[in-house]
Amino acid sequence: MPLPPGTARPVVAAGAVFRDAAGRVLLVHPTYKPGWDVPGGVVEDGESPAEACRREIAEELGLDRATGAFLSVDHTRGDGYDKILFLFDGGPLGDDEHRIVLEPAELDRWAWVAPADLADHLPPPLCRRVTSTLDGGGYLEHGLPRTATGPTGPTAVATTGAG
C-alpha cells in the first residue's frame, strides 16, 4: 500500500553509548566528516535499529557485541528531512577496549571523553542527544526530553535545523 502524500519518510540511525569506569563516553572520529561522533550509523532496509547498531559496532570498532538496553530515541529535522535516531547502551568495554580495530575508511581514532567535555567534541544537536541520554534518555525531540507540554528546552532549539 503506498503511503499517503506528505507522509514522513525519516532517515533512521542507531548508535551505541559506551562508558568507562570513570563515566567517560567513547567517541569516534570519522574520516568523512568534521568532528566526533558516537559509534553507529544508518539503519539499512529490513534491519531493526538494534541490528543496525550491532552491525555498525562490528564494522566500525571490530567488536561483535550484542546491543545493550535501549537508552533513547530522538526525533529531529535537519538537512531538509526528518531523522529518528536511536541510542543503545554499548555496555562496558573492559577487556575489549584493547581489541578495538577501527575501520580506516570510516574512522581514524577514538577517545574517552568526560561528559562535561562533550560540547568541545560533538556538534550541538548530538551533544544535546548524548547529554539527555546520559541524564535518563527516553523520548527526545531535537535532543531534549519531551514532556506532556513540549520539549523542556527553549523552543528556538527545536527550530535550529541540523540533527
Side-chain angles (χ1 to χ4, degrees), residues 9-90:
R9 296 174 192 223
V11 170
V12 180
V17 175
F18 291 94
R19 300 199 59 193
D20 69 1
R24 297 175 301 174
V25 177
L26 179 77
L27 298 183
V28 293
H29 190 264
T31 58
Y32 55 88
K33 65 181 182 179
W36 292 78
D37 207 339
V38 294
V42 175
V43 176
E44 294 178 356
D45 191 33
E47 199 174 45
S48 76
E51 291 167 337
C53 186
R54 183 174 188 159
R55 175 184 50 77
E56 288 286 344
I57 297 311
E59 289 175 6
E60 292 183 351
L61 303 179
L63 301 174
D64 186 16
R65 302 166 56 99
T67 302
F70 163 80
L71 298 176
S72 68
V73 62
D74 187 15
H75 173 267
T76 191
R77 183 163 180 80
D79 305 319
Y81 51 88
D82 290 306
K83 299 176 186 178
I84 305 293
L85 307 161
F86 290 83
L87 286 176
F88 294 92
D89 184 359

Side-chain angles (χ1 to χ4, degrees), residues 129-149:
R129 182 175 314 116
V130 173
T131 300
S132 291
T133 298
L134 296 176
D135 289 343
Y139 177 69
L140 310 173
E141 289 188 4
H142 305 283
L144 298 172
R146 178 154 172 87
T147 65
T149 58

